[in-house]
Amino acid sequence: MTDMTEWQGRVGTSWAEQWQRTDRSFAPLTKRLINVILASGQHKSIVDIGCGAGELSIALANAKQDAKILGLDISADLIRAATDRGTNNSNLSFAVADAAKWNDAAFAPDLYVSRHGVMFFDDPVAAFANLAKVAAPKAELVFSCFRTPAENDWASKIGALMPSAPAGDPHAPGPFAFADPEYVNNILNKAGWSNIAFEAVDFDYIAGEGDDPVADAIDFFGHIGPAARAIRSLTGDARTDFLTRLRTLAEANVDAGAVHFAAAAWIVTAQKSD
Ligand SMILES: C[S@@+](CC[C@H](N)C(=O)[O-])C[C@H]1O[C@@H](n2cnc3c(N)ncnc32)[C@H](O)[C@@H]1O
């Protein structure tokens, strides 16, 4: 579970510091997501939900010079990182905002996009209903989200290194909250979206590369994701033991000078109902 207050605090700060590595881990997915977005039609007012450090917003601002792009995120640190990166684009802006409550009378989006920024709403039906309400007629939605942990080795293999914890609510806000397409379909339907479709994308998640890919991967996992949480909570021998096992896992996944893990996402598309 990762809730809004964590994104506004420590987790958002870590993502703002680590954006080069998080962009790298998503790279093949980003390519496919951008292709789907660009093929979705001519749009003039685009909002990137949970834009983080802004890679998707910046790519769209470059590709669609005649469109206005607005990136929204709840983390001030991430919006600062995104703004610093996107200063060359006059058609691009970023704002700290809760997308679940956002509205701007001067900006009725005809397209919402998101790379993994929509799984953290406390009340996803209310959030997507708000987004529909403030959008232009027939507005479209294109976002990515992770499929199940079992299909994402970077999560399940790290999870297997930790003491087993009682199973929580699979739909609680967090990276895997939208893994089940039926659940997501119901949310979007109830919130006023239709023509809902899911494309499965399997991709190569690069966790480490460079001179010492294993050290790079361990440092990345120490800042982002389930290992970072475990490392923070462990002390003494338990911490040392976990780090040793994390190193062994990273070493076992080195190929051609990089640490690779299997990753799996949905690209979800939908249209605002009449
Ligand atoms: C997994 S990160 C993805 C960030 C970015 N889209 C990327 O691909 O690098 C999820 C993002 O959603 C943002 N977020 C979570 N809840 C939000 C909300 N209610 N409104 C706006 N942003 C939110 C977080 O702050 C975080 O930047």
Side-chain angles (χ1 to χ4, degrees):
M1 158 136 185
T2 316
D3 63 21
M4 254 173 59
T5 54
E6 289 181 287
W7 283 114
Q8 288 168 312
R10 191 192 54 234
V11 177
T13 305
S14 292
W15 275 68
E17 289 165 359
Q18 297 289 322
W19 63 260
Q20 287 95 339
R21 283 162 161 169
T22 52
D23 284 355
R24 178 183 68 191
S25 71
F26 283 130
L29 172 69
T30 307
K31 204 169 161 194
R32 178 66 195 144
L33 181 61
I34 290 172
N35 284 342
V36 173
I37 292 168
L38 295 181
S40 71
Q42 294 300 316
H43 299 101
K44 296 280 186 209
S45 298
I46 303 172
V47 166
D48 181 0
I49 305 165
C51 64
E55 186 182 31
L56 182 60
S57 299
I58 294 166
L60 293 179
N62 288 330
K64 293 173 84 74
Q65 307 269 340
D66 57 342
K68 284 184 296 173
I69 321 290
L70 171 61
L72 300 178
D73 203 282
I74 202 85
S75 158
D77 284 345
L78 276 162
I79 288 298
R80 214 168 294 123
T83 306
D84 288 348
R85 289 174 78 185
T87 46
N88 292 332
N89 300 82
S90 59
N91 60 337
L92 171 64
S93 55
F94 292 102
V96 178
D98 177 356
K101 302 196 172 111
W102 173 81
N103 77 75
D104 178 347
F107 201 109
D110 52 10
L111 174 65
Y112 289 107
V113 298
S114 183
R115 184 180 74 181
H116 281 52
V118 295
M119 305 91 87
F120 306 97
F121 296 128
D122 291 336
D123 183 343
V125 173
F128 280 104
N130 174 61
L131 293 168
K133 191 173 96 191
V134 300
K138 302 278 180 201
E140 290 181 270
L141 173 62
V142 182
F143 67 80
S144 64
C145 56
F146 281 123
R147 303 204 318 265
T148 60
E151 294 164 284
N152 281 280
D153 280 1
W154 63 270
S156 56
K157 289 194 170 172
I158 289 179
L161 305 179
M162 300 174 195
S164 59
D169 173 3
H171 301 141
F176 299 104
F178 277 17
D180 174 3
E182 202 180 318
Y183 173 72
V184 176
N185 195 68
N186 283 340
I187 289 171
L188 293 176
N189 248 316
K190 282 188 196 156
W193 296 87
S194 46
N195 297 335
I196 302 158
F198 294 79
E199 175 188 332
V201 180
D202 295 321
F203 64 103
D204 182 20
Y205 179 110
I206 303 283
E209 60 186 357
D211 293 344
D212 187 343
V214 169
D216 188 37
I218 291 172
D219 194 54
F220 177 44
F221 285 141
H223 287 91
I224 300 283
R229 197 179 287 265
I231 291 166
R232 271 195 310 275
S233 69
L234 295 171
T235 53
D237 288 350
R239 190 170 192 274
T240 308
D241 183 49
F242 178 78
L243 287 169
T244 304
R245 287 189 287 147
L246 189 60
R247 170 168 285 277
T248 305
L249 175 65
E251 285 168 351
N253 283 274
V254 174
D255 184 34
V259 177
H260 304 254
F261 286 91
W266 296 116
I267 292 181
V268 182
T269 51
Q271 188 171 49
K272 179 175 161 172
S273 309
D274 289 336

